[in-house]
Amino acid sequence: MIARIHIRDDHPADRRSTEPRRSRPRASTCGLNPHRPSCRPKSRIKIGLALSCGAAKGLSHIGVIQALEAQGIHIDAIAGSSMGAYIAAIWGFGHNGQRMEELACELEGRWGLWKLMDPVFPPRRGFLLGSKAIDRLRLTIGSLHFSDMVRPATIVATDWSTLERHVFTQGEVAEAVHASVAIPGVCVPVRINGRLYMDGGIADPLPVDVLREMGMDKVIAVNTIPTPPIMRCCEEQEREKAALVGRQSGFLRCIHKHLNAFARGNILDTMMRAVHGAQLRVAEAACARADLVIRPLALDSSWIEFNKPRKYIEIGRRAAEDQMEAIHALLKERTTPHENHEPSLALGST
């Protein structure tokens, strides 16, 4: 049901690569529908797209992008945090929404999630390295650097020492994304140029301000972080489902609950919920500074469901389509300073 309201500690990724840059994979079409003219106004209003964190829920960003492409809507810059950074990197490379869906569906199926698992023993700084996910990204974009991007994009991470927001605008894109998706406690922090970084969603879960600082006139924010009312609805739905199914649980379900660290209520799930709790108000404050907010939310969503990409892509597509009239109206507005914009005091960039 869709709520329509509005990854060994000394891994090579910890060291900056000195290998020569490899030839980049060939991108698909630019991303705009070739049969529709661009909807960018003659007044040259610059439109930015901010993509939030959200783990598997962030796959809905792909659906939003597909809806924008179908309407020929021109986006001048992208900023992404955590899963939003992963999507921003692929779109910035030049792949369109359809190709991104094909890539996401490579993880589809019961065992798809295990393609991302690279456990650390002992788990001193995290349970996962996060390398498998980034290896997949490099297969898609190669050793792409920010200066080579088809669409201007920025990647947000969090400085491990200072907890400040850090905006990557130079160097290898995949390396920056690795830092941005390093969920604290779940994934090992990533070292770049002598500094440690972790998930961008800690410092800036929805990088609206980054786009303002890039000079965007209008910002469309895509927020996949559910609010407390939505979470209460999810809880009620789970209770109703439990009443229908009954309290009986088989041997396999019992094993799943006691041995799977990702299972609901277990250690990794609890850590993710704690992170989510810290992100809520920050993301909502960022929404208030955006010109338009798209919320691809579902009552039956889970941060770990990377093996169900079509579900989240469809949620994102429908959420964007529901807002399409407002998006077109936004494109027709004159360029005016955003009244609620206040530049961030904690900004680093490389």
Side-chain angles (χ1 to χ4, degrees):
M1 182 184 299
I2 299 174
R4 304 193 184 196
I5 61 171
H6 291 36
I7 337 186
R8 255 178 345 255
D9 294 351
D10 56 342
H11 187 263
D14 281 355
R15 304 185 295 273
R16 191 166 184 84
S17 175
T18 58
E19 297 177 1
R21 290 165 61 180
R22 296 168 290 184
S23 59
R24 53 185 285 190
R26 179 175 295 180
S28 48
T29 58
C30 183
L32 297 178
N33 188 330
H35 303 296
R36 293 181 59 93
S38 173
C39 290
R40 184 175 182 173
K42 294 180 180 180
S43 58
R44 305 291 291 177
I45 289 178
K46 295 181 179 180
I47 305 294
L49 185 66
L51 305 180
S52 77
C53 56
K57 301 174 187 179
L59 292 168
S60 59
H61 295 318
I62 298 175
V64 172
I65 288 171
Q66 289 177 342
L68 295 176
E69 290 177 346
Q71 293 291 315
I73 293 174
H74 182 91
I75 297 297
D76 294 274
I78 329 152
S81 185
S82 196
M83 189 60 188
Y86 198 103
I87 302 299
I90 300 175
W91 204 38
F93 172 76
H95 284 311
N96 60 20
Q98 181 58 42
R99 177 55 181 156
M100 286 195 288
E101 179 171 357
E102 293 170 1
L103 291 168
C105 287
E106 292 177 0
L107 298 178
E108 200 168 29
R110 185 173 183 179
W111 305 106
L113 180 63
W114 293 99
K115 296 178 182 179
L116 300 177
M117 298 293 105
D118 48 3
V120 180
F121 296 103
R124 186 169 59 89
R125 296 194 296 162
F127 287 87
L128 303 173
L129 283 173
S131 304
K132 283 194 174 181
I134 301 307
D135 289 345
R136 294 182 66 86
L137 179 61
R138 285 196 172 100
L139 287 174
T140 303
I141 69 173
S143 56
L144 178 76
H145 280 52
F146 283 92
S147 58
D148 301 325
M149 281 187 152
V150 172
R151 299 177 180 88
T154 55
I155 304 301
V156 175
T158 301
D159 188 293
W160 186 89
S161 296
T162 66
L163 301 182
E164 293 176 300
R165 183 188 74 180
H166 187 93
V167 181
F168 287 94
T169 59
Q170 301 176 19
E172 187 192 2
V173 176
E175 188 176 49
V177 173
H178 192 180
S180 186
V181 302
I183 303 170
V186 178
C187 302
V188 175
V190 177
R191 187 179 299 276
I192 301 176
N193 290 338
R195 295 197 68 83
L196 282 175
Y197 297 96
M198 60 183 178
D199 198 297
I202 303 302
D204 193 353
L206 184 58
V208 170
D209 290 344
V210 173
L211 292 166
R212 298 289 183 194
E213 291 155 4
M214 292 173 68
M216 297 298 105
D217 301 311
K218 303 292 182 181
V219 175
I220 299 172
V222 187
N223 187 10
T224 68
I225 304 172
T227 58
I230 289 294
M231 297 176 72
R232 284 194 290 270
C233 290
C234 293
E235 185 179 30
E236 181 63 28
Q237 186 182 68
E238 288 174 1
R239 280 200 294 263
E240 293 176 358
K241 183 178 179 180
L244 290 173
V245 174
R247 291 184 172 273
Q248 280 191 333
S249 58
F251 176 74
L252 292 179
R253 185 176 297 180
C254 182
I255 292 294
H256 171 77
K257 177 66 177 177
H258 288 85
L259 298 182
N260 182 5
F262 291 94
R264 180 175 173 82
N266 286 357
I267 181 169
L268 295 183
D269 183 63
T270 298
M271 290 170 63
M272 286 296 296
R273 294 179 70 84
V275 170
H276 178 199
Q279 293 169 339
L280 274 169
R281 289 179 176 81
V282 179
E284 288 303 310
C287 286
R289 296 191 292 274
D291 297 283
L292 187 145
V293 181
I294 301 173
R295 298 180 183 270
L297 302 175
L299 296 181
D300 59 344
S301 62
S302 170
W303 69 276
I304 202 66
E305 288 185 321
F306 287 98
N307 61 333
K308 299 179 180 179
R310 298 182 195 273
K311 166 184 173 179
Y312 293 99
I313 293 171
E314 177 62 20
I315 291 171
R317 186 188 302 114
R318 293 177 63 178
E321 290 172 349
D322 288 346
Q323 293 272 37
M324 199 56 66
E325 185 176 343
I327 294 173
H328 282 292
L330 180 67
L331 297 178
K332 296 176 182 178
E333 293 182 8
R334 292 184 178 182
T335 304
T336 55
H338 195 272
E339 295 177 358
N340 293 328
H341 172 52
E342 297 178 5
S344 172
L345 297 177
L347 173 64
S349 64
T350 57

